[in-house]
Amino acid sequence: MTVELENAVVVVIGGGEGIGAAGAIALAAAGAWVVVADIDARAAEMTALDITQTGGQALHVACDISRAADLARLHRTTTENFGAVDLVWAHAGRAVAGRLEKVGIEEWAGLMDLNCGGVVRTFLEFGPPMIDRGHGQLVITSSSLALFPDQVPIAAPYVLTKSALVGLARSLRAYLEPTGVGVTLLCPDATHTRHATEVPLIGLDRTAFDAELDTAKLDKPEDVADALVAALRQGDFFVSLTPDVGTRMLDDVHRLTGAPRSSRALVMSGCLRVNPRHHDRVAAAMTQVVAESRKEPDNLAYAWSADLDQPGVFHLFEHWSTREGLERHAASTHGQAFLDLLKEVGPVEADLHTHEVGATQSLTLPD
């Protein structure tokens, strides 16, 4: 369900720095009245100050999500100052990584209590009034590591907690949907925050770990915040900046189960625009690539046509039995030669699209 942020009362737990702080600021910029909560009272105060100095509405509250009493006080302070809570974001948490056999049970249990128990405590405190009103939104922060845990196996204790939150968010979404209360699941990728760059290590050398961390490839907290705000407005359940996240998740399922990938046929269509003075040269190359492409075993149809009214504009229709067949075509000698020509005559405007074909049927013309 979509979320109206203008004048909404929003509580951000873990809003003192990083993604939480960026999110609090972005939500305030969208018109929300924001309560910034964090175990670090000074950090929460600074985030709230950033909001109020730019004309937004905010206050800060010290809160430890491992303590139900702190959450109750946070709830009470919010309602006394801003009114009923429309959205609560359970973002606070911590991570640990290292040699897993060196991580004691107390560390595993502590992470579970903070990262998972904190979200449950947040729901138990803020959820019932939302259910009674038939209105509200719960945002839960998990991680891309919950989706792809084998990419950083040394973070298994953290992954355990964040994987649990994916299941919790999906369960709460199904449970709360009839009540009018929504759930949003945020799964940030590696982000340039202290949470990622200064993660506590157990049994590992800090210098070696830091040497392998490429901070230039980390997402920006502001980008994650913007994605969350957009998702709330659109009513999206799942929020991720991981490139091709859906395809990667499907690949993981097929890899884990050993099931073959679907061999759906693929259609590519669209047009290319080149400088009109290169029209004849490109047309000649297209004639050659069409002839060679039709010989490929995975090709079902291949046609290029020049626009009759616009020199330099060419229309494309390709039909391939599998995506792998299209990929082999792109890597073929004639496919690469045509791509090299386009680079040579550039710039080229391409408006091309692929369409997966779930089913086909023959059509006959009426008598």
Side-chain angles (χ1 to χ4, degrees), residues 3-45:
V3 178
E4 175 57 58
L5 295 174
E6 184 70 30
N7 295 321
V9 175
V10 172
V11 176
V12 180
I13 305 174
E17 62 179 318
I19 293 173
I25 292 169
L27 288 163
W33 294 37
V34 179
V35 177
V36 184
D38 201 285
I39 194 170
D40 184 339
R42 178 59 177 166
E45 181 181 8

Side-chain angles (χ1 to χ4, degrees), residues 139-206:
V139 179
I140 296 174
T141 299
S142 178
S143 168
S144 66
L145 289 181
L147 310 177
F148 311 109
D150 48 359
Q151 63 184 1
V152 187
I154 61 172
Y158 176 72
V159 170
L160 171 64
T161 65
K162 294 301 182 175
S163 298
L165 291 181
V166 172
L168 176 62
R170 294 182 63 181
S171 297
L172 285 175
R173 180 195 189 196
Y175 178 78
L176 293 172
E177 187 173 19
T179 72
V181 178
V183 177
T184 302
L185 173 64
L186 174 63
C187 291
D189 214 335
T191 307
H192 201 319
T193 66
R194 192 165 61 87
H195 177 78
T197 60
E198 299 180 17
V199 58
L201 299 178
I202 297 176
L204 288 180
D205 179 65
R206 167 64 62 182

Side-chain angles (χ1 to χ4, degrees), residues 47-100:
T47 301
L49 186 61
D50 284 342
I51 293 172
T52 56
Q53 285 182 336
T54 56
Q57 298 289 332
L59 58 89
H60 67 280
V61 177
C63 179
D64 179 353
I65 59 168
S66 68
R67 296 169 51 86
D70 274 22
L71 287 163
R73 180 171 53 82
L74 169 63
H75 195 181
R76 185 169 59 253
T77 301
T78 301
T79 55
E80 290 174 352
N81 287 272
F82 285 168
V85 176
D86 297 298
L87 182 152
V88 60
W89 179 9
H91 177 70
R94 66 181 183 91
V96 69
R99 295 181 58 184
L100 302 183

Side-chain angles (χ1 to χ4, degrees), residues 282-363:
V282 174
M286 283 182 173
T287 300
Q288 183 175 356
V289 78
V290 166
E292 293 297 325
S293 300
R294 287 175 176 173
K295 297 176 185 178
E296 296 181 45
D298 294 305
N299 182 252
L300 303 176
Y302 200 101
W304 282 90
S305 60
D307 194 289
L308 297 178
D309 298 322
Q310 302 179 73
V313 176
F314 300 89
H315 300 278
L316 160 72
F317 178 85
E318 301 178 17
H319 191 184
W320 299 90
S321 60
T322 65
R323 180 176 291 276
E324 291 75 17
L326 174 59
E327 293 171 351
R328 284 189 289 271
H329 164 70
S332 67
T333 301
H334 53 276
Q336 284 296 312
F338 184 67
L339 292 176
D340 289 342
L341 173 66
L342 293 181
K343 294 177 183 178
E344 185 179 336
V345 303
V348 175
E349 295 183 26
D351 183 19
L352 302 174
H353 306 274
T354 58
H355 315 270
E356 284 196 349
V357 181
T360 60
Q361 61 182 28
S362 300
L363 297 178

